[in-house]
Amino acid sequence: MLQVTKSLRLMLIMTVLVVNSFVILLLAYTLSEAKHRDEREVRTTTENLSLLLDHNVTALVSKIDLSLIEIADEFEKELQLSGHLDNGKMGDLLATRRVWLPEVSNFRVTVVSSDARPGPGIAARTNFTDLKFFNARRGPHDSGLIVTNLIARRDSQNWIIDFTRPYNHPDGSFAGVISAAVPISNFVQLLSGLDLGPHGVALLRDADTALVARYPPVAFAAQPLGSKILSKELQTIISSGAAVRTYHIEQSGDHVERTNTYRRLSAVPFHLVVGMAADDYLADWRGSVRQAVAVAAIFLIFTTVLAWLLWRSSSLIEKTSERSRLLLQHASDGIHILNLHGNVIEASDSFCRMLGYTRAEVIGMNVNQWDAMFTPDELRQAIVQQFERHAITTFETRQRRKDGSIVEVELTGYPLELDGRPVLYNSSRDITERKRAEDERRIAAVAFESREGILVTDANNIIIRVNRTFTELSGYEAGDVVGQSTKLLRSGRHDADFYAVMWHAIQQEGFWRGEIWNRRKNGEVYPAWLTITAVRAEEGTVTHYVGIFSDITRRVEDELEIRNLAFYDPLTGLANRRLLTDRLRHAFAKSSRSRSHGAVLFIDLDRFKELNDTLGHAQGDRLLELVADRLAVNVREEDTVARFGGDEFVVLLEELDCDRSIAVDKAVAIAEKLRFALNLPYKLQPMHSWHCTPSIGVALFLGPDEEVESVLARADQGLYAAKEGGRNTVRFA
């Protein structure tokens, strides 16, 4: 017994040393991995933020370029009609575009040829012909949109970026330049929308590396606007021609250590740098270091005190077996002693409570009656091996309680002699809560280190945890959703097939990523980019789901605005020529399948030029809007009304009838209905009423051999016949 006591004491000392060393090494490894993970995450974050800004700049540039193209088209039409630019018309056009584009501080027009004299007031007196962007337009080929470097406006101290496009004479020769001046405050506003933390910074430089914008604003004289002072790292990256590069700088110009991402913008020849400070993204990690040091110290003190207490208690081993048995019955762990055959010869009260049996029922039971993990043969072999090794063995297993429930336990066994007989001394500990804590730590490691909205559910999609960003995006507090099904967040915009496909992907691949519509607490529906990841236990079964999402309302609105600019007429809101052409092709294919005739109505307003000449273009635009409204309400929902240009409108009628004669009758009926509606007086001003008649040309089609241009040409021929026939009539081609 004395030898056993000495061995236990020596083992106790070694265990304390090994356990504390292991804990220290584990904490050091965990902290190191956490730091590397934070550094990788901030690299990804800066790269994503730079890409987001690139998309925003691209959207702004596209918007400005589209407006410049439309202005150039109007100028060229005016030169074609009158040989010079009329101040009133062009001034109205530029004023309209200025209202539509608040980002542009001023539109400027430069005329270089006396053959195209501007009317009074066009900005031809502002001389830009000596500037690089102007001379670039003199080449034989149109160089498209040109974006200048940072320049100071001649009439103020404000810095701007000029976006320019040329316009030509009717013979195709270069006539002048239209430029849109964009103050750098717009770029500062774009930079300010990035979440870079308290000490983050975003810089925008032009093609010559001059500083265009900085957020936060420049706080020291070493980096004024227009400055070309670059760090060595940035100089090297720009010289290499790299499009995107992430790098770390120990000390920047403002003495801050940062991780930066450089990106050459895709829409303009500018350079973008997005940086996040180490003091910001490593703040939590440094706090974890302090906590880890405190935990290690507390653990060392705890284990030392515990070892000292166990050292003192080891003397009790030398006492009588009766006292040992008494202590056994009151032990906190589930103590049970087995013979060579695995039968219980002694058990503590805690072990009996753990299994739900009385002590009388436990004594004599065999280990295979409660062990739920190993077979009887495996248990017999394990007992033999423990006796042969004569060493402490610790492993995890599952035990079956009397009521059939399963409990997770950690079992420590040691062979010894009791009353001269070999026995196996076992100690069982319920580790169910520890397992649950490990699951929670694993979930936290996967989910809660993101700055996006996060929710965690169990395997039945019941919400068990959300983060702060979830509350900010959805409006739901944790108390509102914990314990509720994720169906609470559904918008109602997706059908059952959508969710079936989504969950099939999660079950097969372990995750799903895509765009989804969610509903906030206030009932507002918004688009989100959602990633759902399945969390699995070691044996592969799904225990939880982690959802990470972000609000993409701004992106969807930008995409919708770009689509409207590309496919809809800005004055009337009707489909433009491009969208009409696309729908005509679809209509031809549909007509081919159904063998049903369709029709195209080409409508031109009689005496429209007279209205523009007498009441002005503003009243002409108002008339076009009223005509568009009347056309839209007098056709079927499935029909398409488009503004073809000027005062010309096109109506696409689909699925009229398989019989040509019936289709003709229906087309005539609709055309006459539209003619009657357009004949009614128009209220343009409180003191002006205008009567305008339409001439309508009609062309039937039956796919698939129809061509868009040929059908439109036939409808145009019908329109011409209607004009020749006295106007205010309908003619077939």
Side-chain angles (χ1 to χ4, degrees):
M1 185 67 70
L2 181 60
Q3 184 64 34
V4 172
T5 301
K6 290 181 178 179
S7 298
L8 289 175
R9 288 177 176 176
L10 179 60
M11 186 176 296
L12 180 61
I13 294 173
M14 295 300 298
T15 300
V16 171
L17 293 175
V18 170
V19 168
N20 279 278
S21 299
F22 174 78
V23 169
I24 292 173
L25 290 174
L26 181 61
L27 288 174
Y29 173 79
T30 302
L31 290 172
S32 177
E33 288 298 306
K35 183 178 181 181
H36 292 158
R37 183 173 56 249
D38 288 345
E39 291 172 346
R40 290 193 300 270
E41 183 175 284
V42 78
R43 291 172 66 91
T44 301
T45 299
T46 58
E47 291 171 2
N48 290 342
L49 290 176
S50 69
L51 181 60
L52 173 62
L53 186 61
D54 191 9
H55 290 169
N56 291 341
V57 172
T58 298
L60 175 60
V61 172
S62 298
K63 188 177 179 182
I64 295 171
D65 191 26
L66 181 60
S67 184
L68 290 175
I69 291 172
E70 292 178 349
I71 294 172
D73 288 343
E74 292 297 329
F75 277 25
E76 291 175 355
K77 290 179 181 178
E78 185 66 13
L79 289 175
Q80 177 72 34
L81 292 174
S82 59
H84 69 274
L85 300 180
D86 179 79
N87 176 60
K89 294 180 181 179
M90 299 303 102
D92 290 345
L93 175 62
L94 296 180
T96 300
R97 289 298 178 267
R98 175 66 184 85
V99 173
W100 182 68
L101 279 172
E103 296 88 353
V104 176
S105 64
N106 189 22
F107 282 102
R108 292 170 293 184
V109 180
T110 300
V111 178
V112 298
S113 173
S114 59
D115 295 333
R117 298 179 180 273
I122 301 299
R125 299 183 180 86
T126 302
N127 185 10
F128 296 96
T129 58
D130 59 331
L131 297 181
K132 180 180 179 181
F133 77 84
F134 185 88
N135 293 323
R137 300 299 186 181
R138 295 181 178 275
H141 301 290
D142 179 17
S143 53
L145 179 70
I146 289 182
V147 182
T148 69
N149 293 328
L150 182 67
I151 58 177
R153 294 186 60 175
R154 300 181 180 184
D155 57 343
S156 71
Q157 295 300 317
N158 294 328
W159 292 87
I160 62 169
I161 301 295
D162 258 333
F163 293 75
T164 73
R165 267 194 175 273
Y167 64 96
N168 299 322
H169 291 294
D171 61 1
S173 62
F174 175 65
V177 170
I178 307 165
S179 64
V182 179
I184 63 168
S185 58
N186 290 285
F187 297 98
V188 174
Q189 183 178 3
L190 289 176
L191 297 180
S192 67
L194 302 180
D195 183 10
L196 300 174
H199 302 94
V201 66
L203 301 172
L204 187 64
R205 295 181 178 273
D206 63 18
D208 289 340
T209 71
L211 182 62
V212 173
R214 183 186 192 274
Y215 192 86
V218 178
F220 52 93
Q223 283 286 318
L225 293 182
S227 170
K228 297 184 180 181
I229 300 176
L230 305 177
S231 66
K232 293 181 179 179
E233 294 84 357
L234 185 56
Q235 287 178 347
T236 302
I237 293 173
I238 294 177
S239 299
S240 69
V244 180
R245 182 75 58 81
T246 299
Y247 62 99
H248 187 80
I249 185 168
E250 294 292 335
Q251 190 174 42
S252 60
D254 54 355
H255 309 292
V256 177
E257 179 184 357
R258 289 192 180 94
T259 294
N260 298 328
T261 290
Y262 161 82
R263 180 178 294 276
R264 188 172 65 249
L265 298 184
S266 57
V268 290
F270 285 5
H271 309 282
L272 171 67
V273 177
V274 175
M276 298 184 71
D279 287 342
D280 296 335
Y281 64 80
L282 291 181
D284 292 341
W285 176 81
R286 288 167 179 166
S288 299
V289 172
R290 292 190 291 270
Q291 292 177 358
V293 172
V295 169
I298 293 172
F299 186 80
L300 178 60
I301 295 172
F302 174 78
T303 54
T304 301
V305 172
L306 180 62
W308 178 74
L309 293 174
L310 291 176
W311 183 284
R312 291 187 59 190
S313 65
S314 64
S315 61
L316 297 177
I317 299 176
E318 301 173 359
K319 298 186 180 295
T320 62
S321 59
E322 184 63 26
R323 185 173 181 180
S324 298
R325 182 176 291 108
L326 180 63
L327 293 175
L328 173 67
Q329 301 307 315
H330 295 86
S332 59
D333 287 348
I335 307 299
H336 53 289
I337 301 175
L338 306 179
N339 61 18
L340 290 172
H341 304 290
N343 296 322
V344 180
I345 60 175
E346 189 57 72
S348 66
D349 293 341
S350 59
F351 180 75
C352 297
R353 289 192 298 271
M354 185 183 296
L355 294 183
Y357 292 97
T358 65
R359 187 171 183 278
E361 292 174 324
V362 168
I363 301 301
M365 288 181 65
N366 191 273
V367 63
N368 60 41
Q369 292 180 259
W370 70 77
D371 191 279
M373 180 174 286
F374 303 102
T375 65
D377 290 339
E378 291 173 338
L379 290 171
R380 283 192 294 270
Q381 184 178 2
I383 292 173
V384 171
Q385 290 177 350
Q386 284 183 296
F387 278 108
E388 290 176 350
R389 295 174 182 171
H390 200 76
I392 295 177
T393 302
T394 301
F395 58 95
E396 293 181 4
T397 185
R398 293 190 179 98
Q399 293 182 349
R400 184 181 299 104
R401 295 170 51 85
K402 184 178 181 179
D403 60 5
S405 61
I406 302 298
V407 60
E408 300 277 349
V409 299
E410 184 183 74
L411 184 65
T412 299
Y414 183 76
L416 51 80
E417 284 189 1
L418 182 63
D419 298 332
R421 294 179 299 170
V423 297
L424 190 62
Y425 180 91
N426 289 327
S427 175
S428 297
R429 287 165 294 283
D430 186 345
I431 60 172
T432 302
E433 290 300 321
R434 191 183 80 185
K435 286 284 190 180
R436 184 177 294 110
E438 291 175 354
D439 288 342
E440 292 179 353
R441 286 195 297 271
R442 185 170 62 254
I443 295 170
V446 173
F448 279 83
E449 294 179 2
S450 172
R451 296 182 181 180
E452 298 174 299
I454 300 171
L455 71 159
V456 182
T457 73
D458 60 16
N460 297 317
N461 286 319
I462 301 301
I463 301 173
I464 61 176
R465 184 177 298 178
V466 297
N467 69 349
R468 185 185 306 171
T469 307
F470 171 89
T471 299
E472 294 172 355
L473 294 178
S474 69
Y476 287 103
E477 298 291 340
D480 299 330
V481 296
V482 171
Q484 301 292 326
S485 171
T486 55
K487 294 180 179 179
L488 176 71
L489 306 175
R490 290 187 177 181
S491 65
R493 291 196 176 188
H494 303 294
D495 56 18
D497 291 339
F498 173 86
Y499 291 105
V501 171
M502 179 180 74
W503 283 108
H504 178 75
I506 294 172
Q507 299 301 326
Q508 295 297 317
E509 302 177 14
F511 76 98
W512 177 86
R513 181 183 296 113
E515 186 175 317
I516 193 170
W517 288 85
N518 284 337
R519 186 181 301 277
R520 293 190 172 94
K521 184 177 181 180
N522 62 7
E524 178 185 354
V525 175
Y526 66 100
W529 185 258
L530 172 65
T531 300
I532 300 177
T533 304
V535 180
R536 300 182 184 275
E538 294 181 357
E539 65 272 16
T541 58
V542 175
T543 59
H544 301 83
Y545 296 102
V546 178
I548 304 175
F549 69 96
S550 58
D551 189 338
I552 59 171
T553 301
R554 179 64 179 273
R555 192 188 79 185
V556 172
E557 290 175 348
D558 289 344
E559 291 174 352
L560 180 59
E561 182 177 359
I562 292 172
R563 180 180 180 276
N564 286 337
L565 291 175
F567 295 105
Y568 292 92
D569 176 52
L571 175 64
T572 63
L574 298 178
N576 62 14
R577 185 188 299 244
R578 179 185 296 178
L579 183 56
L580 173 66
T581 300
D582 182 66
R583 291 189 177 176
L584 275 171
R585 293 194 181 100
H586 285 287
F588 294 162
K590 188 175 180 181
S591 173
S592 176
R593 291 191 300 270
S594 64
R595 305 306 300 169
S596 178
H597 292 81
V600 171
L601 278 59
F602 212 127
I603 303 172
D604 183 80
L605 302 180
D606 302 328
R607 298 172 55 225
F608 180 73
K609 186 176 184 303
E610 180 181 339
L611 170 63
N612 279 336
D613 293 340
T614 56
L615 297 183
H617 287 277
Q619 295 304 314
D621 289 345
R622 178 56 181 160
L623 176 65
L624 293 176
E625 292 174 345
L626 295 175
V627 169
D629 292 340
R630 293 187 185 182
L631 290 175
V633 300
N634 282 282
V635 297
R636 302 171 301 177
E637 185 177 351
E638 63 269 22
D639 297 331
T640 298
V641 180
R643 183 185 177 198
F644 206 63
D647 61 335
E648 295 178 336
F649 296 85
V650 174
V651 178
L652 169 61
L653 306 175
E654 299 185 52
E655 300 289 313
L656 291 176
D657 203 274
C658 295
D659 187 295
R660 179 180 176 85
S661 61
I662 297 177
V664 169
D665 292 341
K666 289 184 177 180
V668 170
I670 295 174
E672 288 293 341
K673 178 182 178 183
L674 296 178
R675 188 182 67 82
F676 176 79
L678 299 182
N679 264 276
L680 298 176
Y682 296 90
K683 188 73 171 180
L684 300 181
Q685 291 180 345
M687 300 298 294
H688 290 91
S689 180
W690 188 264
H691 179 261
C692 182
T693 62
S695 295
I696 304 176
V698 184
L700 286 185
F701 63 82
L702 181 65
D705 297 327
E706 299 282 5
E707 293 291 339
V708 171
E709 295 302 328
S710 65
V711 172
L712 290 175
R714 284 193 281 117
D716 191 38
Q717 291 173 2
L719 174 63
Y720 180 77
K723 292 282 189 182
E724 290 293 317
R727 302 182 179 182
N728 194 23
T729 59
V730 177
R731 292 290 187 270
F732 265 82

